[in-house]
Amino acid sequence: MARIYQVPSHTRLWLALAVLLCSLPQLVKGPPWQAGLLLLVILIRWLVEQQRMTLPGRMVRSLLLIGAVVLTFYSFGRLYGPEAGVALLVSLFALKYLEVVQQRDAYVVIVLGYFVCATALLFSQAPGMFLYVVLCMTVLTTCLVGINHSDTRASGLLHGRRALVITLQAIPLMVVLFLLVPRVAPLWNMQVGGDKARTGMSDSMSPGQISELSESAELAFRVDFQGDMPPRAQRYWRGLTLSHYDGRTWQQAVPQGQPESEYLYQRGSEKPDWYKRLEGRRSPDQQYYRYQVIAEPTQRRWLFSLDVPFPLYGDVSLAKDMRLVANQPVSERFAYRVDSVPAVSAAINLTSQERQLMLSLPEGAGRKARGLAHQWRLESDSASDIAQRALDYFRDQPFHYTLRPPRLTVDPVDDFLFRTRRGFCEHYASSFTFLMRAAGVPARVVVGYQGGERNELGSHLLVRQYDAHAWSEIWLGGHGWTRVDPTGAVAPDRIELGLREALENSEDGRDLLDDLGLRRFSDGGLFAKVSQLMDYVDFRWQTWVLGYDSAFQSEFLEDLLGAVSPVRIAIALIVAVTLLMVLYALFLLWHGGNERLTLMEREYWRLHQRASERGRPLEAGLTPMQLCQVISEQWPQAAIAADNWAKYYQKLHYDPVSLPNKQQKRHLRSLRNRLYKLLD
């Protein structure tokens, strides 16, 4: 016996649209065969509804199921994990749509669709994706409304309006639950995107590496200051401290035999001596900057901050070389708060093992540079004098700042200092640090970012990859580690104004601005304004929604409730939900007592009111034919027009197949207007 399709016809298009929209995020990033499978399923459903074929039998559906499982394993190498699991779920979701016959099958597809559309948030939590998921949920709710409505005089658009009202009514309750329900970490640890390629700054520096990074306009991180913001020339976002040099590449290093607990402090653990000295040097009258950083995913652990950072919250640690380290690789956008107090840097001591590391140089490297540094040492009275001689050397000699320096083939330091004299920030930082060490001054390279572009709509900075920078630090007695940026001696505009202005003043910079597309971020045109608006919305979404963690919630609840306790939170939750329910009930009572008339009801009451005004008052319960008879008795000349109106009205109002169209409504109004003239 043939199976009867129990899903109403006015809901079938909504159901197909729901399946397509819920699957679309996975189809965009997934393997191509998934799009082909969904298109095949939709085509079969369309042919079935057009009665051009029957639904595939159990054997065909089983083969499609086995094929989806095999292709998922082939594409991802496994059937578990976020990427493979979501891909398999979407494939099974599409195949389930192929089985929809009874109303129960439609319920299963709709409920499964809620789970499928929510999986898109595993891979993207942007505001646009959130709105897209809300759209998918509204379409699924439309399907729920539609399958519970008979085929008689039903409208798909009416189902959509009802679903939209339901969604809007749920938003206040969603906000209350989001704000008041305690933020609890999940019981599982789902590493989404852990196999993605690493982006951003690497853990080493060699000639040309940062200049390649600076050819990207991708976002590195955002910073939101609470209070004063440092001037551009002081915005040095340190990320890595490089202490070991092998003749070409600078890398991270710590003195041999030093345990991690002595140079890395994690909040909540025992404080090492150097951190205690930092805290002891800090005082309330010192200048400090408090800010929140939202870092883009890099799959790495290093973070970025101003000097000297004191982490306030976030899963971060502080190293003795004043860099922040995430306790886990940053696989998604990561927020942390920091207090930076530059004045306390002198409190960090330099041990003999650290001094030895900061003076080490590879044998045979930079022979001419060593001779020049030895000469400066003999002619100088202090380490600061030696550093000043090096800066004067960069300033007086014909050095050039360029993003496209020539290759350094034999000895990078000597080739750059005495032959090419054309380089980017890493060339100047590397050669300066080498000269300082050769002159007996402890020195190291620091890599990170410098500058940042302020969003004019808000108070936060955008630090992009083209802001990548390298500078040096030297050890001065009584001052501790002191920042020296040799790039500023050659290209001061790079430090004071930023990369774009520095390129404008360099010989190859103007062409590079066009090649890299950097002009569009500062041209002040429509694109720049739209970009700033989108960035502002995304940043506020990150801070107010995605950044609403347990610490942020505690601060909010303390301001709202005073002391935070489970009892107070429960009372606030009960009061808020009860208040919303009361408001909903009042709205329903008001709306139920003031129901809007349909178009046909308005048509009837207009004629009823006109006849009552022109003649004797009429009863309210008259049928259209009874109204026609009363009009014919009082106005015999209008009998034919009233009969025409009543018959056409009944035909449109009681048609079980379809609603009246625009032409029919217009004709009904014209019949009523003719009748009006005969009543005068």
Side-chain angles (χ1 to χ4, degrees), residues 414-426:
D414 281 352
D415 281 357
F416 172 70
L417 288 176
F418 304 105
R419 184 176 63 85
T420 65
R421 291 178 173 173
R422 301 168 62 86
F424 198 56
C425 59
E426 68 263 35

Side-chain angles (χ1 to χ4, degrees), residues 460-480:
H460 67 278
L461 290 176
L462 290 84
V463 181
R464 302 184 183 275
Q465 297 296 348
Y466 60 68
D467 292 315
H469 194 56
W471 60 95
S472 300
E473 285 183 339
I474 61 175
W475 177 265
L476 299 179
H479 299 279

Side-chain angles (χ1 to χ4, degrees), residues 70-120:
V70 171
L71 289 174
T72 301
F73 185 81
Y74 172 78
S75 301
F76 297 94
R78 58 184 182 273
L79 295 177
Y80 58 89
E83 291 84 2
V86 171
L88 183 59
L89 177 63
V90 172
S91 301
L92 299 181
F93 176 57
L95 293 177
K96 186 60 184 177
Y97 176 57
L98 195 61
E99 297 180 346
V100 174
V101 175
Q102 300 179 358
Q103 191 181 49
R104 177 180 60 84
D105 300 326
Y107 277 122
V108 173
V109 170
I110 293 172
V111 173
L112 187 59
Y114 284 111
F115 286 97
V116 171
C117 68
T119 59

